[in-house]
Amino acid sequence: MATVVTDPNAAPAVHYLNWRKTVASWLFSLDHKRIAILYLISISVFFFVGGLLAAAFRLELLTPEGDLMQADTYNRYFTLHGVVMIFFFLIPSIPAVLGNFLIPLMIGAKDVAFPKLNLASWYVYMIGGTLGVLVLVTGGVDTGWTFYSPLSTTYANTNVFLAAMAAFVTGFSSILTGLNFLVTIHTMRAPGLTWFRLPLFIWAHYATSIIQVLATPVVAIAIFLIAIERVWGVGVFDPALGGDPILFQHLFWFYSHPAVYIMILPGMGVISEVIACNARNRIFGYPFIAFSSVAIAIVGFLVWGHHMFVSGQAMYSSLVFSVLTMLVAVPSAIKIFNWVGTLYRGNIVWTAPMLYAMGFLGLFAIGGGTGLFLGVTGTDIHLHDTYFVVAHFHYVMVGGAVMAYLAGLHFWWPKITGRLYNHLLGKLSAIIVFIGFNATFFPQFLLGMQGMPRRYHSYREEWQLLNIFSTSGAMILGIGFLLPVLYFTWSLVFGRRAGANPWGAKGLEWEKASSPPSPHNFDHDPVVTEEAYAYTGREQLSV
Amino acid sequence: MSSTSHAEHAYVAHHFHSAEQQKEAGTLGMWLFLAQEVMFFGGLFCVYAVYRLLNPDAWLAGSASLSVFVGGVNTTVLLCSSFTMALGVYFAQTGDNRRLFQALVATLALGLLFIAIKLQFEYLPKYREGVFPGANWGPYGHHYGHLADVANQGGLQMYFVLYYIMTGMHALHMIIGFGIMVVLMVLARKNTFGPQRYMAVENFGLYWHFVDIVWVFLFPMFYLVR
Amino acid sequence: MSEHHIVTPATYLKVLIALAVLMVLTIAAAEVHFGEPFNLMIALAIAVTKAVLIVLFFMHVKYSSHLTWVFVGAGFFWFIIMVALTTADYLSRGWHSPFTG
């Protein structure tokens, strides 16, 4: 094994951040690390746009009447919140930022298999994003992020076409990223890095990429048909023309349910890394976590009909989808079991990323568990389209995916920037986010049980108390999300030098690459001779 | 062939270790792209399956108005273009850039012929005689007048909506292929390809054959409904 | 993997002839009335055969690595999932519940 000769506390003189300095060297960079930074900046902007929209309609929901905004405005706000958060933030978040940065480093490669394609997919994403911003400034769209026909095709007077094109274009960015990762993982692994020595982060991204490549084209075509219907004026989903609006839902959810796993699977990869490192323990049940990722990717394709129990879908179809939905809970539960198993007898260090990861475990368990309520046809009829659904998927998307994204960002920030952030503030933000999140969304479970429907700007007076809780929680959550922006930015200038491996972590990116890594990642091509996660419990923490 | 190592260096990108690895990545990438294409067209095929199920009468009537002869001729044209493309890959592998160029010219010519037939004998006459869904729908005239008597006019329009979208999407893929072919022709003129370097031609061949396969299904689905 | 296999023009020609024969066959089969689902099944079977010929020979999958087979299979498998589960909904719409009649 080649040894790293870097002094752990000195940053390398030349690294990927400073070796070229012009704007063009960033905008036309083929370096996966720089492309990851481009993504990081752009998705962060969209995250705060989506967050502001949410803050605005949470304020509206403080009171039962529509006093801050009227129904039309409210509809546009929650639609844009959904479109921005899902298509422009959650789908690209972990794969495009952390995946792009880390996959080549973790497998000992100089870059992804197709660097030009990688850059192209960022540009495609930005074109989609620009269209999204155009939607925003031309009055928004009010169909909900789901674009259900016939509302989207016949009745909506807003800019559905432009919004559909924004989602359509962004989809191809996702496809190209997935394609690139699959080929990279297959062909670019360092000598000795066999499949069962791969970090679980890589397995999770492999599974995610399968979904991105195979599911995204279907939503592209579904959205394309909506656009055709609006432009050409023929009703592809119009019953008067022998069509069926429910068919749109089939095509839409064939993608959009697996898309949930595009958002959560990479998060699960992050959690595996963070927990193993901070418990100073070998991961428990490695093959189970690895294969459960692939199982989720496959079984996740068989359950989409559980979004359509009250749509007019055939009863027997619903029955089958309901049973299959129960199945997909199994691999998720296996993962949680194995993470807890990893903690057992571990030598746990309570770092900021670890606190985020612990938040993930609890919140994702609640999110997944409440999903079962909705996957059962009987209870779904009561809970469908209530705030219970809203709370459920925010527990998975924010409590799961965003918590994992933040855990990953806090974990790899020293590697990405070469700097340490204020660790106390890091822990504080993890705690604030956890409290704010629960205060926002737990009351929504109760509201949903009481029958408060989603997507209305006004509600009955007896629901006000819980809504006040929820809105107050959202403000705390907002502070929790802003705090990292401050100390991360601060760390860029004033942060201590991180050294190559501040967490005492295992993995090529920590042990063989400097912080920040050199432009071509490694000084010598790494050779792998041991399993992943060979922790001894005696690793030094130097943050 | 030990003397190729110098030539190899010229076109192996810096982040690959060997030409072998680069080729493997290129081939895998292309197949994944095609898997993506399968699902892209697959969405349309799924819509087709459901609407045919819901409107069997309209599908029969719509299909009866298409010319099996024109469709058959076009199928032959496309199969031949796939054949010439396959030959092109062979000539690239054997380093015969002159014949590769000729094979690409033949493929392009057959592709253009396909589009020309489609326009001249199918799209345009239908459009002129009102067989175009939407505000101007209203079949009339010598060839298509009888369609006005079909009871399920909605379903019939849907048949033609899918006909135009699916054959149009297929044609769009061909037209994109034309552009790539021109680039390959220029490269073949410059004697670019040889036994060590033919991946671009091979991958384009895969794309072209895939487009051919789509048509292999579209033909019975639209022309041969019985 | 192994040395790349070069398919000869003679093979391509045989495949082209087979494809042409199958095309004539599918047109001829459509002229015969086999009854409700059978015409469709025959047409699809012939189309699948043609596609398999193109994939195996024109696209060289017969001589490719296992991984290529897996990717080709995956695309096809996922397509079947989508069509099967979607059409299952439409085919079972008319069924009645044993409980409600």
Side-chain angles (χ1 to χ4, degrees):
Chain A
M1 259 168 58
T3 46
V4 188
V5 287
T6 40
D7 169 8
N9 290 316
V14 177
H15 50 73
Y16 83 98
L17 287 168
N18 70 2
W19 76 305
R20 281 176 193 164
K21 294 210 165 72
T22 59
V23 174
S25 77
W26 280 89
L27 290 180
F28 302 107
S29 173
L30 300 181
D31 180 356
H32 66 103
K33 301 182 287 301
R34 287 197 162 195
I35 294 170
I37 302 291
L38 293 178
Y39 268 115
L40 174 65
I41 295 166
S42 23
I43 70 163
S44 300
V45 170
F46 278 109
F47 179 70
F48 282 98
V49 170
L52 282 177
L53 289 163
F57 63 70
R58 261 332 306 174
L59 277 179
E60 156 60 36
L61 290 171
L62 262 181
T63 58
E65 312 82 30
D67 31 28
L68 190 64
M69 54 181 87
Q70 285 311 303
D72 275 347
T73 321
Y74 182 85
N75 292 348
R76 286 162 206 231
Y77 274 44
F78 78 71
T79 299
L80 280 168
H81 169 71
V83 169
V84 165
M85 285 303 202
I86 288 174
F87 292 114
F88 298 113
F89 173 70
L90 280 166
I91 298 268
S93 61
I94 297 180
V97 178
L98 297 175
N100 243 329
F101 195 93
L102 292 166
I103 286 175
L105 281 166
M106 282 183 168
I107 65 172
K110 292 195 187 82
D111 207 319
V112 292
F114 308 118
K116 284 178 197 153
L117 197 65
N118 200 15
L119 181 66
S121 69
W122 180 72
Y123 276 99
V124 172
Y125 169 82
M126 289 309 283
I127 293 169
T130 311
L131 291 174
V133 172
L134 272 179
V135 174
L136 197 77
V137 297
T138 55
V141 57
D142 62 353
T143 59
W145 78 279
T146 47
F147 297 114
Y148 271 11
S149 149
L151 173 61
S152 62
T153 49
T154 312
Y155 300 107
N157 294 319
T158 47
N159 215 336
V160 179
F161 176 74
L162 207 56
M165 282 304 105
F168 180 84
V169 171
T170 314
F172 285 96
S173 152
S174 177
I175 293 172
L176 297 180
T177 303
L179 188 155
N180 218 335
F181 287 175
L182 284 175
V183 177
T184 305
I185 296 170
H186 265 290
T187 61
M188 311 282 287
R189 281 170 287 130
L193 190 52
T194 57
W195 283 88
F196 289 98
R197 285 177 175 175
L198 285 173
L200 289 164
F201 183 87
I202 302 290
W203 276 95
H205 274 80
Y206 188 84
T208 307
S209 303
I210 295 175
I211 307 175
Q212 286 178 301
V213 170
L214 291 173
T216 318
V218 177
V219 81
I221 207 74
I223 290 177
F224 171 76
L225 291 175
I226 291 277
I228 287 252
E229 198 163 335
R230 283 191 81 92
V231 174
W232 189 359
V234 292
V236 183
F237 299 109
D238 182 355
L241 290 185
D244 181 11
I246 296 172
L247 182 59
F248 173 77
Q249 298 187 23
H250 275 298
L251 295 178
F252 181 82
W253 288 113
F254 179 85
Y255 163 78
S256 294
H257 190 75
V260 173
Y261 302 114
I262 297 180
M263 303 175 218
I264 198 71
L265 272 170
M268 293 169 159
V270 168
I271 295 304
S272 295
E273 301 300 314
V274 172
I275 285 187
C277 172
N278 288 280
R280 301 335 207 174
N281 213 350
R282 271 176 195 274
I283 201 101
F284 182 76
Y286 175 101
F288 288 94
I289 299 186
F291 282 122
S292 64
S293 289
V294 180
I296 288 175
I298 295 171
V299 182
F301 271 96
L302 308 174
V303 302
W304 79 81
H306 67 218
H307 294 270
M308 300 164 59
F309 288 158
V310 300
S311 70
Q313 175 179 250
M315 189 180 60
Y316 290 93
S317 244
S318 296
L319 207 66
V320 171
F321 279 123
S322 180
V323 173
L324 290 168
T325 302
M326 300 300 122
L327 282 184
V328 85
V330 176
S332 306
I334 288 177
K335 278 178 190 289
I336 296 207
F337 176 81
N338 284 292
W339 289 324
V340 175
T342 307
L343 293 175
Y344 179 65
R345 289 198 170 175
N347 193 359
I348 297 173
V349 282
W350 293 107
T351 61
M354 187 61 165
L355 288 182
Y356 273 109
M358 290 298 104
F360 170 96
L361 278 192
L363 299 180
F364 177 70
I366 296 176
T370 50
L372 293 176
F373 295 40
L374 296 166
V376 176
T377 46
T379 42
D380 180 68
I381 292 186
H382 175 66
L383 297 171
H384 194 92
D385 270 350
T386 67
Y387 266 82
F388 191 90
V389 179
V390 176
H392 154 69
F393 70 71
H394 279 90
Y395 264 81
V396 177
M397 308 279 84
V398 184
V402 178
M403 286 295 264
Y405 173 66
L406 287 173
L409 214 52
H410 282 80
F411 189 56
W412 282 290
W413 186 260
K415 180 56 61 184
I416 295 172
T417 63
R419 304 277 186 161
L420 295 172
Y421 48 87
N422 184 318
H423 206 200
L424 193 65
L425 283 176
K427 291 186 201 177
L428 189 65
S429 86
I431 292 166
I432 294 176
V433 167
F434 185 80
I435 293 171
F437 176 80
N438 280 299
T440 311
F441 291 104
F442 201 84
Q444 296 186 6
F445 279 127
L446 306 177
L447 286 167
M449 297 286 277
Q450 292 170 14
M452 178 172 168
R454 63 191 283 207
R455 293 182 167 177
Y456 286 90
H457 74 303
S458 61
Y459 54 86
R460 278 162 47 181
E461 278 180 15
E462 67 254 37
W463 290 324
Q464 185 171 12
L465 182 63
L466 285 169
N467 271 296
I468 291 175
F469 269 116
S470 185
T471 301
S472 325
M475 300 306 136
I476 299 174
L477 189 58
I479 293 168
F481 285 145
L482 278 173
L483 205 51
V485 178
L486 298 180
Y487 60 75
F488 277 155
T489 315
W490 183 88
S491 79
L492 288 178
V493 188
F494 305 107
R496 260 198 308 135
R497 301 277 177 195
N501 193 358
W503 308 111
K506 297 289 174 186
L508 293 178
E509 85 273 29
W510 297 111
E511 295 176 291
K512 303 282 181 206
S514 55
S515 303
S518 74
H520 297 300
N521 292 352
F522 303 100
D523 296 333
H524 309 283
D525 290 340
V527 176
V528 179
T529 54
E530 59 179 13
E531 312 301 309
Y533 312 113
Y535 288 102
T536 60
R538 293 184 298 277
E539 285 78 14
Q540 288 299 311
L541 192 69
S542 51
V543 287
Chain B
M1 289 193 205
S2 54
S3 60
T4 53
S5 65
H6 175 72
E8 232 176 56
H9 277 288
Y11 60 87
V12 176
H14 81 279
H15 59 293
F16 289 112
H17 286 291
S18 63
E20 181 89 350
Q21 188 189 30
Q22 172 163 300
K23 182 174 173 353
E24 201 189 341
T27 309
L28 276 186
M30 193 62 206
W31 277 106
L32 280 173
F33 175 75
L34 292 183
Q36 178 276 134
E37 286 279 30
V38 168
M39 295 310 288
F40 187 78
F41 277 99
L44 288 171
F45 279 70
C46 188
V47 173
Y48 172 94
V50 170
Y51 287 167
R52 179 170 174 169
L53 214 59
L54 295 179
N55 307 287
D57 51 336
W59 249 246
L60 276 175
S63 179
S65 74
L66 298 190
S67 162
V68 176
F69 178 71
V70 175
V73 168
N74 248 350
T75 308
T76 314
V77 169
L78 210 52
L79 289 176
C80 288
S81 87
S82 241
F83 172 70
T84 55
M85 189 61 228
L87 288 182
V89 173
Y90 173 79
F91 293 131
Q93 286 171 331
T94 51
D96 190 341
N97 279 286
R98 198 176 56 85
R99 287 219 174 84
L100 165 61
F101 181 80
Q102 291 165 354
L104 287 169
V105 169
T107 310
L108 179 61
L110 288 163
L112 287 169
L113 180 63
F114 178 94
I115 299 287
I117 292 175
K118 199 106 199 84
L119 274 176
Q120 183 59 30
F121 297 103
E122 301 208 288
Y123 289 159
L124 292 178
K126 284 192 187 62
Y127 184 76
R128 279 192 220 104
E129 297 193 19
V131 190
F132 193 76
N136 298 325
W137 173 258
Y140 66 94
H142 173 56
H143 286 295
Y144 300 106
H146 66 282
L147 286 177
D149 305 329
V150 174
N152 184 359
Q153 281 293 308
L156 191 62
Q157 279 202 57
M158 187 61 82
Y159 171 87
F160 281 103
V161 167
L162 290 180
Y163 169 80
Y164 284 111
I165 292 178
M166 292 176 82
T167 58
M169 191 57 85
H170 174 260
L172 179 68
H173 275 74
M174 290 184 68
I175 291 166
I176 292 169
F178 296 160
I180 303 170
M181 255 189 276
V182 171
V183 175
L184 291 179
M185 282 179 198
V186 174
L187 291 175
R189 268 280 184 238
K190 291 181 184 164
N191 280 324
T192 311
F193 302 106
Q196 300 299 318
R197 194 182 184 187
Y198 55 87
M199 202 175 72
V201 181
E202 192 182 38
N203 277 350
F204 175 73
L206 293 179
Y207 173 83
W208 194 252
H209 298 312
F210 170 81
V211 174
D212 191 21
I213 290 177
V214 172
W215 181 260
V216 160
F217 284 95
L218 290 181
F219 175 59
M221 280 165 49
F222 283 105
Y223 293 80
L224 302 178
V225 180
R226 297 293 180 268
Chain C
M1 315 276 155
S2 57
E3 189 60 27
H4 200 78
H5 190 280
I6 295 183
V7 186
T8 58
T11 313
Y12 289 142
L13 190 63
K14 283 180 207 152
V15 174
L16 177 66
I17 292 168
L19 289 172
V21 170
L22 284 168
M23 188 198 71
V24 174
L25 208 62
T26 189
I27 294 174
E31 297 309 311
V32 186
H33 187 73
F34 288 107
E36 175 53 17
F38 296 108
N39 276 84
L40 175 63
M41 283 162 72
I42 291 169
L44 279 181
I46 294 177
V48 168
T49 313
K50 285 163 82 177
V52 168
L53 281 176
I54 295 174
V55 168
L56 287 183
F57 295 99
F58 282 179
M59 298 168 91
H60 306 161
V61 167
K62 187 167 188 289
Y63 316 98
S64 297
S65 68
H66 292 299
L67 197 57
T68 311
W69 285 80
V70 171
F71 284 4
V72 175
F76 187 68
F77 176 70
W78 258 269
F79 169 65
I80 296 293
I81 290 177
M82 172 170 59
V83 175
L85 283 176
T86 305
T87 48
D89 169 23
Y90 290 88
L91 290 170
S92 61
R93 286 264 175 98
W95 298 0
H96 289 285
S97 155
F99 307 111
T100 59

